[in-house]
Amino acid sequence: MSKIYITDTTLRDGSHTVSHKFSPEDVKKIASSLDAAGIDIIEVGHGDGLTGSTINYGFSPYNDFELVRAAASVVKNSKLAVLLIPGIGTVEDLERAQDCGANAVRVATHVTEADVAAQHVRAAKKMGLFTVGFLMMAHMASVERVLEEAKKFESYGADIVYCTDSAGAMLPVDVRDKISTLVQNLSIPVGHHSHNNLGLAIGNSLAAIESGATYIDGSLSGLGAGSGNTSTDTLVAVMKKMNYDINADLYKTMDASTNALIPVLESKGLKTNTNLDAMILGYAGCYSSFLLHSRRAAERFNVDVRDIIIELGNRKAVGGQEDWIIEVASDLSKLKNK
Amino acid sequence: MSKIYITDTTLRDGSHTVSHKFSPEDVKKIASSLDAAGIDIIEVGHGDGLTGSTINYGFSPYNDFELVRAAASVVKNSKLAVLLIPGIGTVEDLERAQDCGANAVRVATHVTEADVAAQHVRAAKKMGLFTVGFLMMAHMASVERVLEEAKKFESYGADIVYCTDSAGAMLPVDVRDKISTLVQNLSIPVGHHSHNNLGLAIGNSLAAIESGATYIDGSLSGLGAGSGNTSTDTLVAVMKKMNYDINADLYKTMDASTNALIPVLESKGLKTNTNLDAMILGYAGCYSSFLLHSRRAAERFNVDVRDIIIELGNRKAVGGQEDWIIEVASDLSKLKNK
C-alpha cells in the first residue's frame, strides 16, 4: 500500500477564518506542533497565497515573508510550503519566500487555466522547490478537462498535481471519477483537497485515497472558511483506523489542535467546533458514557485518557461495564511504570 | 432506483443534547416543520426511549406520552415513531404511546441481543404499528453476527431492520460490508443510522445507500450528543444533488432547522454548529464570495437567496463574475412574478 502524505493548511487556508491575522508567534506555535506531529507538508501564508494581503483579498497585519521566516525557524522535518496564485503572487515573491525558508510551493489556478502557471512551475522547479500543481474548483470541469489541465502541470515539471474541491461541492462519485482518471493517466502522484460544505470532507478524502491519491490536505480542527477544510485530526484518526501508512502521529496531531491552535484562536476571541473527545470515542468504538469516569481514572492513575478509551474499545466494553475503567487505568499505569 | 426514506430523530436522539428538555411546545414546533418538509418518519421521546426519564438515563421534565401527544396534534403526513429499548420501556408503555398517537416504533437492542426484543416486536406488529428492528453499536459485531441478529428481527415480524452506528465508529468499508450483506440476505428493507464522531456521518450514509439501504436517519443540523447525528439538512441536500428519489423538500428541511430547531435551542441557551449558508454554497458549487452580494440582491428583488446561489452555480459563475448576481436575481424575480 502506498504511503499517504498529509499537507496541513491551517496556517494558509485556515488563515481566512482569522481574517489573515496569524502572527509570527502564532505561526511558530502551530507550525512547531505540526512538525512534531509528523505532518509532511505545512503550508503558511495569506489565504489567497503570496502577497494576497490587499484590499481585494483582505489585508493582513503581517506579510507572508515574516510568517514563512517564523515557520522556518521552528520546523525541523516537515516541508514548508507557500501558495502562489499567478496574477496575485509572482516568481520574485516566490524567490523571496525561498530565501525566508520555504522549500515547497503550490502553484494554484482555476481548474481550466493551468496555462497561466507554466512559467511559475518551471521557475519553481529551477529553484529546487518541491512543486505542486493545484487545480482549484475542480467540480466545475469534466473529468476529461481536469485531466487535460493536470497534464499541463505535469508537462511543466510539477512534482504532484492536486484536484482541489475549493467549494466543497464534490460528491464521492465525482472524486472517484476524477482522481482515478488522473492516477491512471499521469506519471506523477495525485492529491486531493476537500471542504466540508456537504459534510463530505472526510468521506471524499477516503474516496480519493481509495482511488489512488497519495497526497491529502487538512487543517487542524477543520479550521477554514464556511464549513471548513477536512480536519487534519480526524483525517489522521481515520487513516490510522484504516491502517494506512502515514507519518503523522494521532495524539500529537490532536495535541497540535488542543495545545497550539485552540489557544491561538482563543487569544483572538475565536473558537472551533471540534470535539476531540467525541472523535476519540468514535476512533475507539467506545460508549460516550465512559468518558467522564475515564477522565477521572486518567487523573488518578496518571495515564492518558485516550489510552483508556482506546483500550476499553479493544476490550469491547459495553454500557454497564464502567467498572472496567479502573482496571484498564491501573493496567496502563503498571505498563507505563515497568 | 429505490425510494429512500428519511427518519428524523432530532426529537429523540437529539434530546440528549438538550438534557431531555424539549417541551410539548418545542415538539409541536419542530415536528410540524419536519412534517411540512416531507420527512417520512419523525421519532419523538426521551433519548433512551420510552420511559427513559430516570436517574440512570437523565430525568426529563416531560413524560414521553405528552411529547408524543404534542407531536401527534400537528403531524399530518409523517409517521410518528417512538423508541422502545426492552428493559427500559415495556409493551404497556408502547400501547400507551399508540393511544397518544404514535404509529411506528423502533425496538432497539445491543447488536448481539435481538432475542430480548422478540415479544416487543410481535406485540408492536399485533398493534398494527410500523415496526423497526434497531441493532445498536453495530460496529462491535462481525458481518455474520449482525446478519444473524437482523434475521431474528425479521423472524419476529419487523418491517425493516437498522444497522446502527451508535458510537460513530464505523468506516465506510464496514458500512458497505454490513449493509450489503443484510440487503442480500433479508427480505425486508435495511436502514442505517450514523453519528459524526469520525466526520463520516454523511459519507457512511451514502455508502449505506449505495449498498442498498433504503432507510436513513438524520437530525436537524446534526443535533446529537458528542459530534452529533447525520445532519438531516445536509443529507437531504446531498441526496437531492445525487438525484435520489426522496420525499423531503430541501428548502423546507433547512427551514425546519432555521425556523424551528434553532430558535428552540436558543431559548435554552444552546446553539448548533451548523452553517446552512456554507452548505447551500457547496450544494450549488458556488464561490463563498458570492454570498454577501447575493443576500443583498435577494432582499432587493424579493427572491430566495438560495435560488440565486443555485442559479449562479448552474451558470458556472467564477470569482470576478459577481456582476451576474443582479442579473440572476432580476431574472428570478421576473419568473416569480410571471
Side-chain angles (χ1 to χ4, degrees), chain A residues 110 137 139-140 167-169 171 176 197-199 202 210 227 234 241-242 273 275 278-279 282 285 287 316-318, chain B residues 110 137 139-140 167-169 171 176 197-200 202 210 226-227 234 241-242 273 278-279 282 285 287 316-318:
Chain A
H110 185 68
M137 300 292 274
H139 75 282
M140 293 187 94
L171 296 166
R176 281 186 214 122
N197 298 62
L198 295 174
I202 296 287
E210 285 166 8
S227 303
T234 309
K241 199 170 161 90
M242 295 187 78
N273 292 334
N275 184 331
M279 190 193 84
Y287 263 119
K316 295 194 181 291
V318 297
Chain B
H110 186 68
M137 298 295 272
H139 75 283
M140 294 187 95
L171 296 166
R176 281 185 215 121
N197 299 62
L198 294 174
L200 282 164
I202 296 287
E210 285 166 8
S227 304
T234 308
K241 200 170 159 89
M242 295 186 78
N273 292 334
M279 190 193 85
Y287 263 118
K316 295 194 180 294
V318 297

Side-chain angles (χ1 to χ4, degrees), chain B residues 134-151:
Chain B
F134 203 69
L135 289 167
M136 300 187 291
M137 298 295 272
H139 75 283
M140 294 187 95
S142 66
V143 174
E144 296 70 29
R145 185 63 189 268
V146 173
L147 175 60
E148 192 184 314
E149 300 294 321
K151 276 186 170 292

Side-chain angles (χ1 to χ4, degrees), chain A residues 136-158:
Chain A
M136 300 187 290
M137 300 292 274
H139 75 282
M140 293 187 94
S142 66
V143 174
E144 296 71 27
R145 184 62 189 268
V146 173
L147 176 60
E148 191 183 315
E149 301 293 320
K151 276 187 169 290
K152 289 179 190 168
F153 268 121
E154 186 180 45
S155 75
Y156 307 149

